Amino acid sequence: MATEDKNRATAAAILPLVGGAANVSSIAHCMTRLRLGLHDRSLVDDEALKALPAVMGVVEDDTYQIVLGPGTVARVTPEFEQLVEEGREAAPPQAAVSADDLAAQGAAIKAQQKAKNATPFKLFLRKIANIFVPLIPALIGCGIIAGLNGLLVNLGWLPAVTPALAAMASGFMALIAVFVGYNTAKEFGGTPILGGAVAAIIVFPGVANIDAFGQTLSPGQGGVLGALGAAVLAVYVEKWCRRWVPEALDVLVTPTLTVLISGLATIFGLMYVAGEISSAIGTFADWLLSNGGAGAGFVLGGLFLPLVMLGLHQALIPIHTTLIEQQGYTVLLPILAMAGAGQVGAAMAVYFRLPRNESIRRTIKSALPAGLLGVGEPLIYGVSLPLGRPFITACVGGAFGGGFVGLFNQLGDTVGSTAIGPSGWALFPLLDGNHGLGSTIAIYGAGLLVGYVAGFLATYFFGFSKDLLTEFNVSQDPAPSTVAAAGGPHQAPNADGDADADRANGPGSTDSGPTDPGSTGPDSPDKAPVRV
């Protein structure tokens, strides 16, 4: 305990001397040095840092390096990272400025429900998302190359080039377990490269010479789930070693024990268990869509937006990745993407139902292109969620679109995506299936159309009560007669003030919508746009 207090005290002494938490952009460490990325180098007090008893010196390079010595730096760095995170969370939030009252209501809902999401389970799901979200650019790039290669192979074009494209598309997936292990260790507070080293065991060809539970292991067995478990185990072993191994031996003993203990557990346990779980996920997904595709698609498409609001959609990320690793594509994402189609249709209906509310119509016009590409946050928090009913009817549109795509899966026309992240129209380059690209694109496009139409009709006819229409179908701009009479751009009395006051407690208040919005998406669980 005394050692932990000493390490935290060292970190606490360093932080203000490098400009505080707000001045730190990145944190890493090597064998002996704490390496910091800084926003403003002038805020650093070099002499005071050098005077600290634990600091052996400072080095100016591409990062600002504080020499703490072997063993010590590995213990001080986690404490420093925690202090920086605490400092950032304690910083006063910047006030958001919005001219649109409805968008302000949406932002308030988002902030309120984000605070409710700080439960251990949802925080764990955010960690899972943080592991996989950085992999999305590579998944997208390799997925598009795989689709292009498949098209060229089917057409018989460029036979000298297609093997190279296949290597580009498959290389990342062959080693994805290593990247998952690296990110897992980083997210759970361990040394990233040790997490990657343990996860690399899973894809090493030599495991084919090992028997476990009476079966011969195969390279890649357990996939990303095995890599995830192996890296988490490595983090706990490493932390245990940091606590008990003397600092003088830390640089030699801790990495060795971490790889040895967690590696043996991975080979003679985790690979087998994770392999069974991965196989069960693939089998269940195939069975679900083959036997109840329309019903399953209806439920999945209808519930995905609420799952996003609750932050529970993050639990699907490892499932998507496992399916891509096993089958080459995930059959779930095209169905879930229909939720975004329902949202777009609902927004278009709101546009036509509120012809006098120029403010909301401008919001919809500006957010609709992003919505068509699968970026749903502007429409969700700026339009449908604050209004209440249109959010529910948007889910109805997503349900019908999901049911349509699920029906074709049930009939044998599989529609899948070779990567996660994009949605809406942006998903077209990543589509894949079992009956040719043309058929797959046609089914997905028709599903989007069904989602648009169903969301529009449900919202147009059932998305507004009489009171809601009376409240929101009013002009937010100054009346022309008032401007002319006043001789200037003065607003009519109560044109906005009374409407704003009414909206605060009217039918469009937060009580109308669902509760507990969660993390907003794949790029980062708290800040990235919702992709539905």
Side-chain angles (χ1 to χ4, degrees), residues 95-105 107 363:
V97 180
S98 175
D100 184 68
D101 182 68
L102 193 61
Q105 288 188 31
T363 297

Side-chain angles (χ1 to χ4, degrees), residues 267-293:
I267 293 172
F268 293 104
L270 282 176
M271 285 185 67
Y272 176 81
V273 174
E276 294 298 308
I277 295 174
S278 298
S279 298
I281 289 174
T283 302
F284 177 74
D286 291 338
W287 176 87
L288 180 65
L289 295 181
S290 297
N291 293 276

Side-chain angles (χ1 to χ4, degrees), residues 252-350:
L252 296 176
V253 174
T254 296
T256 304
L257 289 179
T258 298
V259 175
L260 179 63
I261 296 173
S262 54
L264 288 172
T266 298
I267 293 172
F268 293 104
L270 282 176
M271 285 185 67
Y272 176 81
V273 174
E276 294 298 308
I277 295 174
S278 298
S279 298
I281 289 174
T283 302
F284 177 74
D286 291 338
W287 176 87
L288 180 65
L289 295 181
S290 297
N291 293 276
F298 190 90
V299 172
L300 291 172
L303 292 182
F304 187 64
L305 282 180
L307 285 178
V308 172
M309 298 302 102
L310 294 169
L312 300 178
H313 66 297
Q314 295 164 350
L316 299 173
I317 297 177
I319 297 176
H320 287 311
T321 309
T322 297
L323 291 175
I324 293 171
E325 191 177 32
Q326 285 182 349
Q327 304 174 0
Y329 50 77
T330 168
V331 293
L332 298 180
L333 185 58
I335 292 176
L336 300 177
M338 295 300 116
Q343 176 65 61
V344 168
M348 295 173 67
V350 172

Side-chain angles (χ1 to χ4, degrees), residues 38 45 57 81 118 140 155 227-228 312-313 344 383 483 486 525:
L38 302 173
D45 190 335
E81 289 175 334
I140 293 173
L155 295 174
L228 184 66
L312 300 178
H313 66 297
V344 168
V383 180
V483 175

Side-chain angles (χ1 to χ4, degrees), residues 104 115 205 216 322 340 361 383 396 531:
T216 301
T322 297
R361 285 163 66 94
V383 180
V396 172
R531 292 189 177 272

